[in-house]
């Protein structure tokens, strides 16, 4: 599909807004079980879930499911679980013992409002609740659906765990203040940021019944897009504005983190992000226009201001 940029932006904005609203409605169903959770813990979990955010990961899951012919009903449990896991990771990332940030999504970080102990427990609560949603048998339609869900649970567990996001965070901590090469930086970011983005895309495909060839194409797309998102985040930490990004700016340099702008320079980092987006879109050549939201989101990865 070839469209002018203005029209593409309008189409993408409408798609993102519609699906963000859907995700937000499902997330706020947490209100219905508040009586079963200690009040302070519930308030802490709800605070971070309702703090806003672009909901890009669950929207990528929805877009991937639709690209292979699935519906939002097929993918919504996985999409909601992924956003809960992402939110838990942000709560923990902001802790003083981790990235030590006081601001998240334009609001005080969870631990600044509820204290470190409750913030840790809120993250733990969101992580475990996510797998409760994924394993809820009430949403299983048939045996084929059960088999898909088991694959999805495995996919997300690996992406969120020591082989993925948690391992990436550990590498980030260990290498802070050290000079590492670009290969090591890519390995770090493929785990810390890329793993959950890739899992969102793959679980969307699995939820929609993707063929092996379709799933491989989505995997190629997801790897490129995930890395482009991280490079864009690195660039925003240099060029972004607090009011747009919703968190502190310049922390990467202050903490001597290994980022793409630090290793390659700002312009070369931007060029690499653009190349990755082009390759991600090319990976979807075998898909029809149902995959257009995925193509537009890849381009958005490096055009965004937050």
């Amino acid at each position: 599909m070839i469209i002018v940029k203005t029209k593409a932006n309008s189409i993408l904005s409408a798609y993102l807004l519609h699906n963000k609203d859907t995700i937000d409605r499902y997330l706020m169903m947490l209100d219905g079980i508040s009586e079963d959770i200690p009040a302070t813990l519930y308030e802490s979990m709800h605070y971070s879930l309702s703090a806003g955010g672009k909901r890009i990961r669950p929207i990528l899951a929805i877009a991937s499911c639709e690209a292979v012919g699935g519906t939002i009903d097929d993918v919504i449990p996985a999409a909601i679980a992924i956003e809960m896991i992402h939110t838990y990771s942000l709560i923990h990332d902001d802790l003083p013992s981790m990235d030590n940030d006081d601001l998240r999504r334009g609001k005080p970080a969870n631990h600044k409002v509820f204290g470190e102990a409750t913030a840790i427990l809120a993250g733990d609560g969101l992580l475990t609740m996510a797998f409760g949603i994924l394993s809820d048998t009430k949403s299983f339609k048939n045996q084929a659906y059960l088999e898909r869900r088991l694959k999805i649970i495995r996919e997300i567990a690996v992406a969120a765990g020591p082989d993925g996001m948690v391992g990436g965070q550990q590498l980030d901590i260990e290498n802070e203040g050290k000079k590492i090469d670009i290969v090591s930086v890519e390995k770090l970011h493929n785990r810390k940021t890329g793993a959950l983005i890739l899992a969102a895309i793959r679980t969307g495909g699995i939820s929609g019944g993707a063929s092996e060839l379709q799933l491989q194409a989505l995997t190629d797309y997801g790897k490129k897009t995930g890395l482009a998102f991280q490079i864009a985040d690195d660039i925003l930490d240099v060029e972004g504005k607090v009011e747009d990004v919703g968190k502190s700016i310049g922390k990467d340099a202050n903490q001597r983190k290994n980022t793409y702008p630090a290793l390659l320079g700002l312009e070369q980092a931007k060029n690499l992000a653009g190349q990755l987006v082009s390759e991600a879109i090319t990976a979807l050549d075998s898909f029809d226009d149902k995959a257009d939201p995925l193509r537009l989101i890849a381009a958005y990865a490096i055009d965004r201001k937050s």
Side-chain angles (χ1 to χ4, degrees):
M1 180 182 74
I2 300 175
I3 49 183
V4 297
K5 189 175 180 62
T6 302
K7 185 177 179 182
N9 287 344
S10 177
I11 292 169
L12 179 61
S13 294
Y15 185 85
L16 293 177
L17 180 60
H18 171 74
N19 284 294
K20 181 183 183 300
D21 287 346
T22 300
I23 294 296
D24 286 344
R25 284 198 305 273
Y26 276 95
L27 284 172
M28 290 309 103
M29 287 179 185
L30 180 62
D31 288 338
I33 56 172
S34 61
E35 63 186 26
D36 299 325
I37 302 173
T40 303
L41 178 61
Y42 168 78
E43 289 172 12
S44 180
M45 293 166 65
H46 181 80
Y47 175 82
S48 289
L49 274 181
S50 62
K54 298 177 290 295
R55 312 301 191 198
I56 287 296
R57 288 157 186 80
I59 292 173
L60 279 167
I62 292 169
S64 297
C65 181
E66 292 173 343
V68 299
T71 68
I72 194 167
D73 288 340
D74 295 323
V75 72
I76 199 66
I80 295 305
I82 286 168
E83 184 62 20
M84 285 184 165
I85 292 170
H86 176 56
T87 301
Y88 122 75
S89 76
L90 299 182
I91 295 173
H92 283 195
D93 276 356
D94 290 339
L95 291 168
S97 58
M98 302 287 264
D99 285 350
N100 191 23
D101 210 324
D102 294 343
L103 196 65
R104 174 64 66 177
R105 291 173 171 168
K107 297 182 179 181
N110 192 291
H111 70 275
K112 300 300 291 185
V113 179
F114 297 95
E116 291 182 42
T118 297
I120 291 169
L121 292 173
D124 294 344
L126 289 170
L127 173 62
T128 49
M129 183 178 285
F131 286 99
I133 290 170
L134 287 171
S135 58
D136 186 354
T137 57
K138 292 194 296 292
S139 62
F140 292 175
K141 297 177 181 178
N142 50 45
Q143 183 65 28
Y145 201 79
L146 170 61
E147 291 173 1
R148 288 181 192 173
R149 188 68 66 83
L150 287 173
K151 290 180 182 178
I152 288 167
I153 290 171
R154 169 70 177 171
E155 194 85 33
I156 294 175
V158 171
D163 291 333
M165 185 174 65
V166 172
Q169 181 68 25
Q170 180 65 36
L171 290 174
D172 194 27
I173 292 169
E174 290 178 356
N175 288 301
E176 198 170 287
K178 299 177 182 177
K179 185 77 171 180
I180 61 176
D181 60 29
I182 197 68
V183 173
S184 298
V185 171
E186 182 174 336
K187 180 180 179 182
L188 186 162
H189 288 317
N190 279 340
R191 289 186 173 196
K192 184 179 178 182
T193 303
L196 198 60
I197 289 176
L198 177 59
I201 292 161
R202 283 180 54 85
T203 56
I206 294 167
S207 298
S211 67
E212 285 301 317
L213 285 176
Q214 287 176 320
L215 193 58
Q216 183 55 58
L218 289 172
T219 300
D220 292 344
Y221 165 88
K223 288 178 178 178
K224 305 292 187 183
T225 302
L227 190 54
F229 260 90
Q230 180 57 54
I231 297 172
D233 280 347
D234 289 351
I235 293 168
L236 284 172
D237 191 70
V238 177
E239 295 187 327
K241 298 179 180 180
V242 173
E243 56 267 31
D244 293 331
V245 179
K247 60 181 181 179
S248 303
I249 299 299
K251 288 181 80 272
D252 290 343
N254 292 337
Q255 295 177 352
R256 298 172 60 202
K257 285 184 175 290
N258 289 280
T259 67
Y260 280 85
L263 269 68
L264 300 178
L266 199 55
E267 287 308 311
Q268 193 171 343
K270 290 179 179 180
N271 290 338
L272 177 57
Q275 177 186 335
L276 287 165
V277 166
S278 178
E279 292 173 358
I281 294 171
T282 299
L284 300 177
D285 279 352
S286 60
F287 288 80
D288 61 19
D289 59 5
K290 289 196 296 292
D292 281 347
L294 290 176
R295 297 182 177 102
L296 294 173
I297 292 171
Y300 163 78
I302 56 174
D303 288 337
R304 61 197 169 95
K305 302 299 181 184
S306 65

